[in-house]
Amino acid sequence: MHTPLTAALATRDTPLGTLTLAATDDALVLCAFDEREQAVARVTRGGLTVVDADGATPAQLRIIEEAGRQLDAFLAGRSRSFTVPMDLRLATPFSRTTVERLDGILPYGATGTYAELAAALGRPRAARAVGTALGANPLCVVLPCHRVVGSGGRMTGYAGGIAAKQFLLDLESGRTAASASL
C-alpha cells in the first residue's frame, strides 16, 4: 500500500506577523501568511497530507526548525538569503518559474516593477499574470516577491500586508534598524 506524502505544519511568530510553515521530509513547501485552514487547503491541493508538529517526522521538524532559524536571521538583518531546501509543488508552472527567478532578477536590496519582471521573464505583456503568480507564491519572504512594486515604485499588495512589505524593503535597503518592528 502506498503511504501518502505528508507535510508537517507549524507557525512562527516574526516581526512581520505569524507565518505558517509546512515541510516534507525533504524540503520547505510553504512559508505563508495563511491562517491554518488556508494553509491546510493549499498543502492538500498540492497532493500532500497535513500533519501537525506532534505527528511530524524528525526530518520534517529539522526542515521547519532550519527555516525558522533562517527566517529569524534574515528578518534581523544577519542574513541575505535562504539555503533551506525548497519545493515549489504548491505553485502553478508559471508561478514556479516566476518565483524561482526572482532572486536572480531582483537581488537583495533591489526592487522592480511587475512589467520589468515580466520583461525579464521574456513575457513583456504579462505584468498582470506576474502579479497573480507572485500573489500565489507559496514561499513568501524566502522567495522575495516583496521586491516587486507597482509602476513608478508604488507600494502594491502583499500577502502579509503593505506594512510587512515596507518592513522587508526597508530592511533590505538599510533604511531601518533590523530590530525595528511593525
Side-chain angles (χ1 to χ4, degrees), residues 12 30 35 43 64 66 86 109-110 117 137 142 153 166:
R12 181 119 189 149
L30 184 70
E35 296 291 329
V43 171
I64 288 170
E66 182 58 29
M86 297 172 230
L117 181 56
N137 178 6
V142 176
Q166 189 66 60

Side-chain angles (χ1 to χ4, degrees), residues 42-123:
R42 281 177 89 170
V43 171
T44 303
R45 275 194 310 273
L48 301 168
T49 299
V50 174
V51 297
D52 287 316
D54 60 352
T57 66
Q60 291 167 339
L61 291 174
R62 278 193 299 276
I63 299 272
I64 288 170
E65 288 167 9
E66 182 58 29
R69 278 192 294 275
Q70 290 183 27
L71 279 164
D72 290 347
F74 185 86
L75 295 172
R78 296 188 313 268
S79 173
R80 292 179 166 218
S81 62
F82 292 86
T83 58
V84 65
M86 297 172 230
D87 179 338
L88 285 166
R89 74 176 59 227
L90 304 183
T92 65
F94 183 67
S95 183
R96 185 177 301 126
T97 299
T98 302
V99 297
E100 280 177 333
R101 298 202 39 216
L102 271 171
D103 202 41
I105 295 169
L106 296 172
Y108 187 93
T111 60
T113 67
Y114 295 94
E116 290 166 344
L117 181 56
L121 293 169
R123 305 270 310 267

Side-chain angles (χ1 to χ4, degrees), residues 110-164:
T111 60
T113 67
Y114 295 94
E116 290 166 344
L117 181 56
L121 293 169
R123 305 270 310 267
R125 299 177 68 190
R128 285 182 192 247
V130 163
T132 300
L134 295 177
N137 178 6
L139 295 171
C140 282
V141 184
V142 176
L143 295 177
C145 55
H146 58 271
R147 295 179 188 156
V148 183
V149 296
S151 60
R154 262 184 318 109
M155 195 60 62
T156 56
Y158 182 63
I162 296 298

